[in-house]
Amino acid sequence: MKALYIASTGMSAQERNVEVISNNIANMRTTGYKRQRAEFQDLLYQQITRAGSQTSDQGTMLPAGLEIGSGVRTVSTPRVMSQGSVSMTERELDIAIRGEGFFMVTMPDGRTGYTRDGSFERSAEGTLVNSSGYAIEPNITIPGTATSVSISADGVVEAYLNNDTNPTELGQLQLARFVNKSGLESLGDNLFTETAASGPAQVELPNRDGTGNLLQNYLEMANVNSVTEIADLIAAQRAYEMNARIISGADTMMQATSQLR
């Protein structure tokens, strides 16, 4: 009976949906996390009678056909790249982006990773790095004698060195933006890499061409809404249960048919 296989695809799709929702909820406190959503497509149809088929010698036609679907599949899990709320941390190397840009980091294999996580630190050499120790691009070194590091909305990094009365410019942060942010590949560790779907990175200075401005002493929180995620989880659970009932009902019908034989 086809209903068994159709309902099984529904259960599989909702199981994947629950996995996506659970990952969103697990990352509610992850800095710069962008939530995902599951998107579905119906599967192929069996054409029993085609719409527009002739029904008489006078040329009358069927206004609608008879089609039987074969279920559903999960087609993608795109990220919702909306702006997350910003939270004050009072750490001078914490930076939030208000806009579409991404920080750039040099990964151990030499590739460039992209992140919204602006919780930066200083390495033993004074290089500005992310929480995994990967250097920020372009490279910025903060001397050990530097005090009162400031980062402007335009990405200019300055600090007072020794007993200087005027700040010294140490470097300029840059941001990358993409035509299709949802096409970025997720690597974990709050990092993304570009793909053919995302398009190449467009590197700009902050506050230009939609990259967004920087906010020192703040971090961007995850854009996960707990109420929405719980509501989506309940809906997914109900859909899963309904598909399970269809399987149970189809099995009962098959048993009744076998007994008649």
Side-chain angles (χ1 to χ4, degrees):
M1 182 175 287
K2 290 187 63 175
L4 286 170
Y5 301 102
I6 294 172
S8 69
T9 65
M11 293 182 68
S12 177
Q14 293 308 319
E15 181 180 355
R16 184 62 49 84
N17 193 17
V18 170
E19 291 171 356
V20 171
I21 295 170
S22 65
N23 187 58
N24 289 339
I25 294 174
N27 283 281
M28 285 181 60
R29 299 294 298 171
T30 301
T31 304
Y33 176 79
K34 301 302 179 184
R35 70 181 184 90
Q36 293 175 287
R37 70 165 185 258
E39 293 187 347
F40 307 100
Q41 284 183 348
D42 50 353
L43 296 176
L44 295 174
Y45 287 81
Q46 178 186 0
Q47 294 275 356
I48 298 176
T49 56
R50 189 177 298 274
S53 299
Q54 188 169 328
T55 58
S56 71
D57 294 336
Q58 283 71 38
T60 56
M61 294 184 298
L62 282 175
L66 175 57
E67 301 174 330
I68 303 298
S70 53
V72 64
R73 65 170 180 147
T74 309
V75 64
S76 64
T77 54
R79 290 190 180 273
V80 179
M81 291 291 191
S82 59
Q83 177 76 43
S85 62
V86 294
S87 175
M88 178 180 286
T89 64
E90 298 183 356
R91 293 185 70 252
E92 62 182 9
L93 294 183
D94 284 347
I95 313 168
I97 302 174
R98 291 187 294 185
E100 297 188 357
F102 291 81
F103 295 112
M104 299 176 290
V105 300
T106 302
M107 296 190 295
D109 59 5
R111 292 185 299 163
T112 298
Y114 304 92
T115 182
R116 296 280 296 189
D117 182 2
S119 52
F120 298 149
E121 303 286 350
R122 278 191 280 184
S123 69
E125 296 77 25
T127 303
L128 196 63
V129 298
N130 72 352
S131 54
S132 296
Y134 304 159
I136 305 302
E137 298 180 13
N139 189 283
I140 296 175
T141 300
I142 302 175
T145 58
T147 59
S148 185
V149 177
S150 66
I151 302 168
S152 71
D154 297 328
V156 178
V157 182
E158 296 179 326
Y160 288 93
L161 304 181
N162 301 316
N163 296 319
D164 293 349
T165 56
N166 295 317
T168 299
E169 184 174 329
L170 304 178
Q172 168 73 63
L173 289 171
Q174 296 179 341
L175 299 177
R177 63 191 300 264
F178 298 88
V179 174
N180 175 25
K181 295 179 290 184
S182 295
L184 293 169
E185 179 183 352
S186 305
L187 299 180
D189 297 330
N190 289 355
L191 293 174
F192 301 92
T193 57
E194 68 178 57
T195 66
S198 69
Q202 302 171 11
V203 180
E204 299 284 352
L205 297 178
N207 249 347
R208 297 187 183 178
D209 298 329
T211 54
N213 62 332
L214 304 182
L215 192 61
Q216 188 182 14
N217 302 322
Y218 286 81
L219 286 177
E220 181 187 11
M221 299 292 100
N223 64 349
V224 177
N225 185 308
S226 59
V227 175
T228 301
E229 296 299 328
I230 294 299
D232 289 344
L233 178 61
I234 293 172
Q237 289 174 322
R238 294 293 181 267
Y240 187 92
E241 292 170 2
M242 291 177 68
N243 279 285
R245 289 179 182 178
I246 291 173
I247 290 179
S248 177
D251 180 55
T252 301
M253 293 170 65
M254 291 177 65
Q255 289 178 357
T257 302
S258 63
Q259 291 174 0
L260 291 175
R261 294 176 182 174

